[in-house]
Structure formats: structure tokens, C-alpha cells
Amino acid sequence: MAETVEHTAPAPGKQSSTFVTGTLRVIISFIVPVITFLALRWSFTYMRDADANKFLVAVVALIVGVGAVWALYIITDNLVSLLPEAVREGVRPFVFVGPALVILGVYLVFPVFRTAYLSFFDARSESFIGLENYTYIFTNPDMLGVLRNNIWWLIVVTSFVVGLGLVIAVMVDRVRWEAAAKTIIFIPMAISAVGASVIWKFIYSFQAPSRPQIGLLNAVVVALGGDPQGWLILQPWNNFFLMFIMIWILTGFAMVVLSSAIKGVPAELLEAARIDGATEIQSFFRVIIPSIRGTLITITTTVIIMVLKVFDIVFVMTSGQFNTQVIANRMFQEMFTFRNAGRASALAVILLIAVIPVMVYNVRGMRSGRSQR
Amino acid sequence: MSVTIQTSTKAGNDRLRQIFSGAPLRIAIITIALLWTIPTIGLLITSFRPPDDINSSGWWTVFQHPFEISQYTIQNYAEVLTAEGMGNAFINSLLVTIPAVVIPITIAAFAAYAFAWLEFPGRRFFFIVVIGLMVVPLQMALVPLLRLYVAADLNGTYLGVWLAHTGFGLPLAIFLFYGYISTLPAEILESAHVDGASPLTTFSRLVMPLSVPVIASFAIFQFLWVWNDLLVALVFLGTRKEVAVVTSRLSALIGDRGQDWHVLTAGAFITMFIPLIVFFSLQRYFVRGLTAGSVKG
């Protein structure tokens, strides 16, 4: 090849080949995903007939999923090398990027537009009903309760996770067994929300007052002279008992990220503040917080996105009963219990609209970052 | 509280203050650490107690005679693994998770290399789309994809779940890999080119081997994400016992046997077992992967 990697755009004066190049790019992009898909499907249909065991399924999946995908990339690259020189290097990048774009198109871009479209249709997606699904969501008392719960989740969980994470990060920074303390607080992040829900369901469990309490929370309450409570049906506080599970899961994560940011604050800065007579509290708010502002914003937006879509905890703990419903769980019910594709789609769109500010912020950050490069 | 931030100074005159601030600080940290561990320990102990004991006394009563072996049993695990299908679900989880981690890595690495080092029309535009897609709630994809799956007879198959996790994981993977691959030294890649290496050779011989750290971080994040996922498994794989993964099996058990704590605690621990091993053995990569993956939608 004569051209450098960075200068592979088609040479000027080859207008006639633009159409050809474009078509080839599209074809090339589809080769890997389509053939992989067909190969996997064929092998599994075949195995279903053969009543294959699971070990075989796994082996085939790995061979096809890794080996065949690589082989297909190599084959398409070789195919491109056979093309006339005029179009070859214009097409080649799409050997690399095309398959990913096709998959993203099928799995994310198309569904996003389709869901937005379906949100203007009725339960069975047959007749156009305009904004009716949205009017329902914003006027029906049940739905308003769902939205209200989600807002409470956002406020309570985000502020506790970030606040508590920050406080713990500052605290553990001063003890010698910092690593051990951090590990312990971080562990819940590794386990699934379903597993965590069982852990906490057991803590909150309730037995008739005449029997011994096996749930830790009620045991403590009884030991202190109180009456045992069914915490998960105790409205409206049951929402907060569910929120606490997510706080328990995410605090360690916020703490670890913030802790490494705090360690990055230049020592001279803190020293200078101290020499100027700043108290501990002052240097925390005037030096540390401004220095880690970027990390604080990132972690806050991250937690907001996670909390917004909370599903597993509510699904497992209460299925949204006793006024604990949230958007993502209600959407799941609209899909599978009430079979209302229109309302389910409208709920998804509300989630999407809620994350758009974060999306814009990320894209902007990316653009400014790119221009510096 | 003490004025010292550990990194700033360890001078002797601070030591006095540290001792004064030490006790309350330590008590606070120990309290938090206990609050964060006791629930899990309670679950673990309960999972080894006979059902009658679980229902008649709190798990903390085992500490009256902690070494009396007769009060523990592994019967709960035997029951949940066989009769309740958790053993089968465990294998299903491995079956779902491993390809769902491996497939997106290849596809994303190829794409990230193109975004970083190849010129093509629409490069900036497509990359901005990828960044935007990263935070799109996957709820936006459920209704249309489920219909596509039903039409293509992919619903309830492992293949469908692998591809769904591949699609949902790609934006993050491309973003992470791009961040790493684009900072590889240009001289190395250019000299490979001067030596006559094609982009494919450069990618497979140079870029992939050099990118192992970022691939490891993503692999761990994706592994935990897929293993711990409930929503995608419920929607695209369903709750049929033969194909259900550990999370959906456990959530079904909570519905069917909500008060049988011996089953639920043992079942929960089975779902947590692999992630905890990953956590303790690969903690460093784990933190890196999670931090990097935190933006996922």
C-alpha cells in the first residue's frame, strides 16, 4: 500500500466511484454480523434437534462467537483487498467499524425511534392515539404516585450515596486499616440487586409479636422495648427501606471513586490552607471540594442514571405493591401483565427524556476533549 | 477532627491531634463497616442452619456456641441446588455470561481501532452517536426488540440474550477501548505501516496485545453486569426452569417460597458466590472496570 493509514480517503476526481464505494461500505458492514448471526442460529437450531447438552452449547458458542467472528473480519478484509485500488482504501475502515454500527443500529438506534413512535399508539400498537398515554401517566393518581416515588428515590438515594460516600472517603483516609475498611464497604457492589434484596428482606422480616423475631431489625426493636413491625407494608416508610438497599449497594462505589480523587488533591494546596489558618472544615469545603468537583459531578450523574432505572429491588421486594411502585417496574408490568405496549413505551420515553441532559453533557465533554487532542 | 490528610504530612506535631480525634473516628468507621457486613454475614450463617432453627431463633444466637458443629447443616444447599433448580440455573448463568462477555469485546475492539486510527466519512458523527447511546436506558429497547425476537423465533434462546447483551454493552466497550487505543504511541503504529503491515495486521499484532489492560477492565465490568442482571434475563430468556439464570431463578423462589428462609438464603448465596470470588481475586481491575463502566445506561 502506498497511502498512509491516516490518508485513506478516496482520491479526488473519482466522483463516479463514490456511489460504488458507498454501496460497498454498506455491504461490507453487514457481512460479519449477518453471517455470524446465521451461523449461530443454524448451529443452535441444529443442536436443538440433536438435543445437545449444555456443555456443547457453550463450546459451540465460544467457537462461533470468538473464532468465527475473527475469521469473518479477516475474510472481509481479504475481500476488500481484492477490490480495485480506487475504492479499496475508502471501503476498508468499514470492515472494522461497520459490524459495530450495524449491531448498534439494530439493538439501540432502531428501538429508540420505534419505542418513541409506539408511545403514541394504543395497547396493541394498532391505532394512533396521540398523547393519550402521556396524559394518562401525568393525570392518573396511580401513575403520579409512581412518578413521585421515582423522584423520592432520586433525591434520597443520590444524596445519601454521594454524601455518605464522600464522608466515608474522608474518614477512612485517616486510619491505618484504610484498605480493609474500603473493601468491606465496597463488597455489596459485587452482588446482584436480587441477592441484596434477599439479604435485606431477611433483615426486615416480621413474625407475630408472640414469636421470636428472626429479622434483625425487628429483633433490635423488640430488644429496645418496641413492637415488631411489617416494615415492607408500613406506608410510606416502606419506600425508604427499599431505598436503603440501593444506598447500601452504591455507597462503597461512590466512596472508592471519591477517595481516589481526594488522594489526588495536591498536598501543597492543603498545606498552604493550613498555614493560612484554615480549619479542618474550611479546608474541606474550600480546598478539597473544589478540587474534586469534576469527580463529584461524574459520580452524581452516574448514581442518578442508576437510580432512575431502579427495577430489581422493587420487583423482588414488593413488586410495586403497598405504594412502592417505580417507573421501570411499572413499565415491566405494562409490558407483561397489562400487555399495554403504548404505555410501556411512554414510560420508557420518560426515562430517556430524564437522561438527555446527561447525554448532552457527555457529548459536549467529548467534543471539547477531542478538540484538545 | 484531625487536620491531617494522610497524603499531606506525617509530621510529628500532628500525631497528638490524631490520637485525640482517633477514637470517635474509629468508632464511626467500625460502625459503618459493621452495618455493611452484618447483613451479609447473617445471610451466610442462616444458609447453614436447619429450617426449624431459622424460624425459632435469630441467626445471631449461633454465637452462644459458635463452634458447636451440630447446629450447622449443608442440607439447604443440597435442596436449593437440586430440587429448586439452582444448580441448573448456575450452569445457565455461566452459559449466558461467558459469550455475552466475549462477543462484544472483539466487535468493539475492531470499531474502537477504526475510530482512533482510520479515516472514514462520518467518523465524528458515528462516535458522537456511540457516546450518546451509552446512557440510553435499555428500557427504550425492550418493546421493539421483544417483538423482533418473537418474529425471528429468538425469544427464550441463549443466542438472543447474548446478542442483546452484546448490543447493550457495545457503546461502553467502544468508548473505553477508544480511550485507550487512541493514546497508543503513533510512532509504533506508523512504523508498522511503513513496514508494510495492513490495518488488520497492525490491529491484531499490535493493538490487541497492547490493549489487554483495558480489555480486562471491560471484561470484569461486563461479567458482573451480565451475571447480576435480572431485567434482560426476564425479558428475553424468561423464567422457564430449564433456561432461567440464577437471578431470575432466585426471584422466582422469592415469589414461590417467600417465607422459606433456608431456601432463599442458600439460593442467594449461590448467586453471590462467583461475583465475590471475582471481587476478591481481581479487586484492582474490578475497581477500574466499575469506575470506567459507571456511565453505562
Side-chain angles (χ1 to χ4, degrees), chain B residues 3-16:
Chain B
V3 175
T4 323
I5 296 297
Q6 213 169 41
T7 45
S8 68
T9 170
K10 288 193 161 69
N13 57 348
D14 284 316
R15 205 175 283 158
L16 199 66

Side-chain angles (χ1 to χ4, degrees), chain A residues 3 54 107 115 280 309 370, chain B residues 2 92 140 149 178 193 297:
Chain A
E3 293 153 327
K54 292 197 168 153
Y107 276 87
T115 300
E280 172 79 356
K309 298 179 303 177
R370 291 256 289 184
Chain B
S2 133
N92 292 341
M140 279 303 280
Y149 271 26
Y178 172 86
H193 187 72

Side-chain angles (χ1 to χ4, degrees), chain B residues 8-176:
Chain B
S8 68
T9 170
K10 288 193 161 69
N13 57 348
D14 284 316
R15 205 175 283 158
L16 199 66
R17 286 159 126 167
Q18 238 170 9
I19 290 167
F20 278 121
S21 70
L25 179 74
R26 278 171 202 183
I27 290 168
I29 297 177
I30 289 171
T31 311
I32 293 167
L34 283 178
L35 192 59
W36 253 249
T37 30
I38 285 175
T40 317
I41 291 173
L43 176 96
L44 187 58
I45 291 174
T46 306
S47 72
F48 286 106
R49 299 180 76 210
D52 290 343
D53 287 10
I54 295 175
N55 287 320
S56 59
S57 60
W59 55 268
W60 48 90
T61 54
V62 300
F63 289 116
Q64 288 162 2
H65 326 275
F67 300 109
E68 200 175 295
I69 300 299
S70 63
Q71 65 183 330
Y72 304 112
T73 172
I74 55 163
Q75 195 52 43
N76 304 338
Y77 283 91
E79 180 180 349
V80 83
L81 279 170
T82 54
E84 294 300 343
M86 210 53 164
N88 196 15
F90 190 86
I91 295 169
N92 292 341
S93 271
L94 285 174
L95 252 173
V96 164
T97 308
I98 295 169
V101 171
V102 175
I103 297 173
I105 289 176
T106 315
I107 295 168
F110 271 98
Y113 170 69
F115 279 123
W117 295 101
L118 302 179
E119 268 313 331
F120 56 92
R123 184 172 89 153
R124 265 184 77 85
F125 169 77
F126 286 128
F127 195 70
I128 285 171
V129 170
V130 170
I131 302 295
L133 289 179
M134 220 159 42
V135 293
V136 166
L138 68 84
Q139 276 82 1
M140 279 303 280
L142 297 183
V143 175
L145 276 185
L146 189 62
R147 289 183 177 180
L148 268 186
Y149 271 26
V150 171
D153 198 20
L154 268 182
N155 203 20
T157 65
Y158 295 118
L159 177 58
V161 183
W162 295 332
L163 293 176
H165 278 303
T166 300
F168 301 148
L170 265 186
L172 173 73
I174 295 174
F175 173 72
L176 283 182

Side-chain angles (χ1 to χ4, degrees), chain A residues 21-292:
Chain A
T21 316
T23 317
L24 285 169
R25 280 171 177 155
V26 174
I27 294 171
I28 288 297
S29 300
F30 276 90
I31 287 183
V32 175
V34 170
I35 296 185
T36 311
F37 174 74
L38 292 176
L40 280 168
R41 245 192 96 151
W42 175 79
S43 50
F44 287 114
T45 320
Y46 178 77
M47 283 196 298
R48 208 183 289 163
D49 297 341
D51 203 13
N53 72 8
K54 292 197 168 153
F55 181 71
L56 197 62
V57 175
V59 171
V60 171
L62 285 179
I63 291 172
V64 178
V66 184
V69 170
W70 267 89
L72 278 169
Y73 275 103
I74 294 168
I75 292 167
T76 39
D77 193 63
N78 283 323
L79 281 178
V80 168
S81 300
L82 298 176
L83 293 172
E85 211 179 323
V87 292
R88 189 197 298 155
E89 300 310 320
V91 172
R92 200 186 293 280
F94 284 83
V95 173
F96 291 80
V97 79
L101 296 181
V102 169
I103 295 174
L104 287 176
V106 173
Y107 276 87
L108 288 166
V109 178
F110 156 75
V112 164
F113 287 102
R114 182 81 187 151
T115 300
Y117 177 79
L118 290 177
S119 72
F120 300 111
F121 282 78
D122 66 351
R124 311 189 52 175
S125 311
E126 278 161 354
S127 42
F128 180 83
I129 55 170
L131 288 172
E132 209 171 285
N133 290 320
Y134 293 96
T135 357
Y136 176 80
I137 291 171
F138 288 107
T139 51
N140 176 283
D142 261 13
M143 281 289 192
L144 288 174
V146 173
L147 299 180
R148 197 191 54 223
N149 284 343
N150 242 73
I151 291 170
W152 272 111
W153 274 83
L154 281 176
I155 296 170
V156 174
V157 177
T158 310
S159 49
F160 268 86
V161 166
V162 177
L164 206 58
L166 186 59
V167 169
I168 298 174
V170 173
M171 288 197 324
V172 292
D173 207 33
R174 296 141 201 246
V175 292
R176 229 174 295 139
W177 25 277
E178 179 183 352
K182 274 167 135 177
T183 302
I184 284 175
I185 298 168
F186 196 48
I187 287 174
M189 192 71 194
I191 62 187
S192 63
V194 186
S197 296
V198 172
I199 291 177
W200 285 92
K201 210 169 183 163
F202 189 50
I203 299 270
Y204 297 147
S205 78
F206 165 79
Q207 305 237 41
S210 55
R211 305 188 54 200
Q213 294 300 321
I214 59 168
L216 186 60
L217 187 56
N218 273 323
V220 170
V221 167
V222 170
L224 295 174
D227 291 326
Q229 303 281 342
W231 304 106
L232 294 179
I233 55 173
L234 192 71
Q235 300 175 30
W237 309 109
N238 48 3
N239 278 301
F240 295 95
F241 291 113
L242 299 193
M243 289 174 204
F244 187 78
I245 301 173
M246 197 158 198
I247 295 172
W248 184 76
I249 293 175
L250 291 180
T251 298
F253 166 63
M255 182 258 314
V256 165
V257 177
L258 290 169
S259 167
S260 68
I262 290 173
K263 285 187 197 307
V265 177
E268 306 84 63
L269 225 58
L270 292 162
E271 194 62 19
R274 220 153 59 85
I275 290 167
D276 291 348
T279 66
E280 172 79 356
I281 304 285
Q282 281 172 331
S283 69
F284 177 75
F285 282 106
R286 306 258 173 89
V287 180
I288 295 180
I289 296 279
S291 312
I292 61 167

